[in-house]
Every structure is written in structure tokens, then in C-alpha cells.
Amino acid sequence: MTTHDLVIAGGGPAGAAAALGALQARPGMSVALLDRADFPRDKTCGDGIAPEVFDLLSEAGVEDVAEGWAPVDRLSMRRGERVVERTMARSTWVIPRAVFDHRLHQAAVRAGAQPHTHRVTRVAVGADEVQVDERFSAPLVVGADGAHSVVRRAIGLPPGPTAFALRGYAPTTAHRGGTQAMVFGETRQPSYAWSFDRGDGLANVGYGEVQAPGAPRLSRSELMAQIEQLLPGSTTDGTQWKGAHLPLSAWGAQVADGRVALVGDAAGMVNPMTGEGIYYAVLTGLLAGRAAAAALDAGDPQLFGRDYTRGVRTILGPHLRHSALAARLCRSGRLLDAGVRAAQSDQRVFDDLVDLGLANGRITPVVLRRLTRHLLGTATQRTELSG
Ligand SMILES: Cc1cc2nc3c(=O)[nH]c(=O)nc-3n(C[C@H](O)[C@H](O)[C@H](O)COP(=O)(O)OP(=O)(O)OC[C@H]3O[C@@H](n4cnc5c(N)ncnc54)[C@H](O)[C@@H]3O)c2cc1C
């Protein structure tokens, strides 16, 4: 048994960020960073990384994670015949997770985290310490072990709503270069196919949809068929097709219990509208790391869960409420159509929707006004047609 100040289960973006947050706030603290995989490792993902992720990492002293990869400036959204393509207010990046996560993990190790290849199977919370597999112990533990978190189960939290998505890599088709293309499904909602140009001749291509409780999930060939239907030609010569679950966020969900905090996917922190999760993973990781350092500084480990929860609610609370509402609204095809038309007619609406889907945005007054106008416009057209 080794004893640490903080044990982090999972060394993906959320776990690495937790280590960075803790070590920046309290240099020299003993942080064990456990992962069942050796890095570099793949992670099934769309690889789209919002600019706000780099803002957070820069605050944590990490500057080089996007080096060698080109920014992507354009985003297109389509539903049926309606399409909007615009330049985003800020560029995003498409970086394979084997590269991005490895760089982040290395940054955490450089900051002082001690990496261990270890699969966590058991977490026991005692009066004074938390034990992980009777091999690691610490007053505080962060669960950053992804969508099927063992730590989450150990503190008795049930899984929340999920989506399922399949992704692969295929040569970027000529007209989709330099673009993140999203095509919304026409049946199940929210759902979309994507083709995100990496800038190196390949695109990350995939399709994902929300899972209704108890409903069977689409087979791999059905998921592939959805991609081809929505983005014809995008799967040609594709490789590395893999599917995975996305645990979707819900406002007010519990993210900690005393000495144990959950971050990233383990906390169910994926945007329910877009499936974006790296921003929330890095943000919640940093918040948990900083809360751990503060609780140790105060000599009161019980402050950890309370202060971390407070931090998440303060910073993300309004966004989580708004994105949950937006995801519900996206179930309506008419509203999705109105959203695409509103984004087409006004750059501010486009920018605000990007912010809501990728980072900490809200449903702003201009989005509401434009949506209402387009919805009423459609209703008026219908009335005129039927009259
Ligand atoms: C198909 C798909 C497409 C997506 N597209 C995007 C996108 O384009 N942009 C975006 O921002 N987000 C996207 N997401 C979501 C994003 O991948 C996740 O939100 C993000 O990876 C969360 O980071 P994390 O560190 O919480 O979890 P992970 O990245 O899953 O890291 C968890 C780590 O824990 C380790 N681990 C798991 N179990 C154990 C255990 N028992 N013991 C020890 N270690 C363990 C794993 O090996 C892994 O390294 C997508 C997800 C999917 C499935």
C-alpha cells in the first residue's frame, strides 16, 4: 500500500487536469495518477477540441498540446435541405486523442503526478482515508475513470442518460476540407453525423444519437448506414471504426460525496446537445484538483466534495440548465430547422449556438428572438399553404 495526498483514477483529460489543478495550487503534493492503459492510448471520440479547452490549459500552465495541428475555422450544420456554414468566432482543433491525451498526461507527469498503470476495481471509503484496491490510499480520491466509472459505482451513484456513437478515420473529401461538418438526423433526435477535418488528409467521421432508456441500440452496420445516409461518401476507405457511450449531463446531478469527487465522463459531463465532453472534463478536473489542494491546505478533507460541488454549480450551473433545455428542444425537427435557419440568418445566433454546444454558453436573448421568428414564419407559411 502506498499513501498519497490525492489518488486520481483515470489519466484521460479529466484526470490529467485534476492532477494539474492540484499540483499548481499545492506544488509538491503527492498525486498518484492511475490508468488501466499505458499512454499513448486511443480514445473513441470525434477529436473536436473547443478553443476554451486551450484557455483552461493555458491557465494551468500547459501551452503546447495543439502543436503541429492546424486550427479549423469553419463549421457547417445541415438538416435536410437547410444548411448553414460560417466561420466560427474562434477556431477549434481536431487532434487525435492518442496525441492530445498523451500530451496532457505528460504535462501532468511533468508537473509532479506519479503515473501508475493500474486498473481500479475497488474503492473503499473509510473514516480517515480512501483505499483503492488495497494498493493506494489517500485522504481524497478523484474519479476520472470515464463513462463506465468504477469510482462512481463505489460511491453509489447510478448511471445517468447516455448517447452512443461510432467513429472512424477516412480520407477527407475535397469539399469538406478545413471544416467541421454536422448533419442532423431526420428521425431519432438529438442525433447527427459528423466529418471533422483533422488537417492532415484524414477526417474523423461518425454518427451518434441519444439512447432512450431501455431501447436497443443501433448495430454497427446501422450506425455506418446512418453516416453514409447523412454524409454520403464520407466513410469510403475508413478505418478504426469504434463505438462508445457518452454519459450526458443533467442539471443538478450529484458530482461528489465527501472525500470522493467525480470529474469528466465519470461525473456524466457530456453536452447533451452535441456530445462534446473534453471541455467539461478539463474544467471539472481542474476544479476538483484545486478543491483537493484547498481542502488539504485547510486540514479538512471533508471540505473537498462540498467545495468542488459548489465550484461546478457556480461555474457550470446556468450552462447545464440551458444545454439540458436545448437538448430537449432539439427533439423537435421543427425547432432544429428553425435553429439552422436562425444561425444562417445571423452570425450572432451561430456564435451563441456554437458556444452553447461546445463550451459554457447559454440560450441567449438573440437566439430566442430569432428562433421564435423562424418558428412563427414556418407556422404562417403553413397556414397560408393550407388556406
Ligand atoms: C464517439 C464519440 C465522439 C466524441 N466526440 C467528441 C468531440 O468531438 N469533442 C469532445 O469534446 N468530446 C467528444 N466526445 C466525448 C469525450 O470523448 C469525453 O467526454 C472525454 O473523453 C471525457 O474525458 P475523461 O477524461 O472524463 O474520460 P476518458 O477520456 O474516457 O478517460 C478516462 C480514462 O480512465 C481510464 N480508465 C477507465 N476505467 C478505468 C479503471 N477501472 N481503472 C483505471 N483507469 C481506468 C481509461 O483508460 C481512460 O484513460 C465523444 C465521445 C464519443 C464516444
Side-chain angles (χ1 to χ4, degrees):
M1 176 87 80
T2 56
T3 301
H4 303 271
D5 296 319
L6 175 66
V7 171
I8 302 172
L20 286 163
L23 286 156
Q24 192 183 38
R26 195 175 150 98
M29 82 189 254
S30 164
V31 177
L33 185 58
L34 320 181
D35 202 291
R36 64 184 176 193
D38 286 319
F39 285 76
R41 58 102 181 91
D42 185 24
K43 156 76 178 87
T44 304
C45 186
D47 301 336
I49 303 175
E52 289 79 2
V53 171
F54 300 100
D55 298 343
L56 292 172
L57 291 176
S58 179
E59 276 171 38
V62 182
E63 302 284 356
D64 55 357
V65 272
E67 213 172 276
W69 293 86
V72 180
D73 299 329
R74 309 268 306 161
L75 175 76
S76 75
M77 292 184 278
R78 172 190 285 275
R79 183 163 189 277
E81 294 305 306
R82 298 185 203 294
V83 61
V84 51
E85 179 171 340
R86 285 182 177 276
T87 299
M88 289 177 278
R90 298 181 68 194
S91 306
T92 61
W93 269 258
V94 183
I95 306 175
R97 295 289 298 275
V99 175
F100 179 78
D101 289 19
H102 187 212
R103 289 179 174 178
L104 217 50
H105 189 261
Q106 282 177 319
V109 172
R110 272 199 308 275
Q114 301 156 40
H116 296 269
T117 306
H118 176 86
R119 178 187 288 270
V120 173
T121 57
R122 207 171 148 266
V123 177
V125 184
D128 301 318
E129 61 168 18
V130 186
Q131 284 193 10
V132 176
D133 294 327
E134 291 160 11
R135 240 192 92 183
F136 304 91
S137 96
L140 308 175
V141 164
V142 168
D145 49 344
H148 305 284
S149 171
V150 170
V151 181
R152 183 183 182 93
R153 273 203 303 280
I155 60 170
L157 295 185
T162 59
F164 190 83
L166 178 79
R167 77 93 228 258
Y169 293 109
T172 308
T173 47
H175 59 291
R176 294 194 191 111
T179 305
Q180 289 199 305
M182 298 165 69
V183 183
F184 297 106
E186 302 215 21
T187 47
R188 302 154 185 255
Q189 304 294 357
S191 67
Y192 71 90
W194 71 83
S195 170
F196 293 168
D197 183 26
R198 296 177 7 171
D200 64 350
L202 290 177
N204 182 312
V205 177
Y207 171 82
E209 60 177 38
V210 169
Q211 296 270 244
R217 85 173 151 70
L218 293 185
S219 67
R220 183 188 164 124
S221 56
E222 288 169 323
L223 291 161
M224 292 289 283
Q226 287 292 322
I227 306 176
E228 267 303 315
Q229 188 187 326
L230 296 169
L231 280 165
S234 62
T235 63
T236 307
D237 297 328
T239 58
Q240 300 182 57
W241 297 104
K242 278 192 206 162
H245 282 98
L246 298 93
L248 305 177
S249 61
W251 183 74
Q254 192 180 340
V255 292
D257 187 12
R259 297 163 175 276
V260 180
L262 302 173
V263 295
D265 278 13
M269 278 288 166
V270 173
N271 190 306
M273 212 174 98
T274 58
E276 203 268 1
I278 298 170
Y279 168 72
Y280 310 99
V282 171
L283 176 60
T284 54
L286 288 172
L287 288 175
R290 289 171 190 153
L296 293 174
D297 279 344
D300 184 355
Q302 292 298 338
L303 291 179
F304 178 43
R306 196 197 67 192
D307 288 356
Y308 167 64
T309 303
R310 196 173 283 165
V312 172
R313 298 233 162 113
T314 306
I315 294 175
L316 276 177
H319 166 74
L320 292 175
R321 249 194 332 264
H322 285 227
S323 56
L325 173 63
R328 287 180 79 87
L329 296 177
C330 284
R331 289 183 201 161
S332 151
R334 273 188 63 210
L335 248 147
L336 262 181
D337 286 344
V340 173
R341 289 172 64 188
Q344 198 178 24
S345 66
D346 191 325
Q347 178 78 36
R348 290 168 305 168
V349 174
F350 178 86
D351 291 340
D352 289 351
L353 288 179
V354 170
D355 210 23
L356 181 66
L358 301 190
N360 201 354
R362 321 236 168 127
I363 301 173
T364 55
V366 67
V367 168
L368 269 182
R369 267 201 314 277
R370 288 283 181 175
L371 265 180
T372 312
R373 187 179 301 172
H374 285 285
L375 275 173
L376 290 178
T378 317
T380 312
Q381 271 173 14
R382 284 194 179 160
T383 315
E384 282 168 3
L385 282 174
S386 62

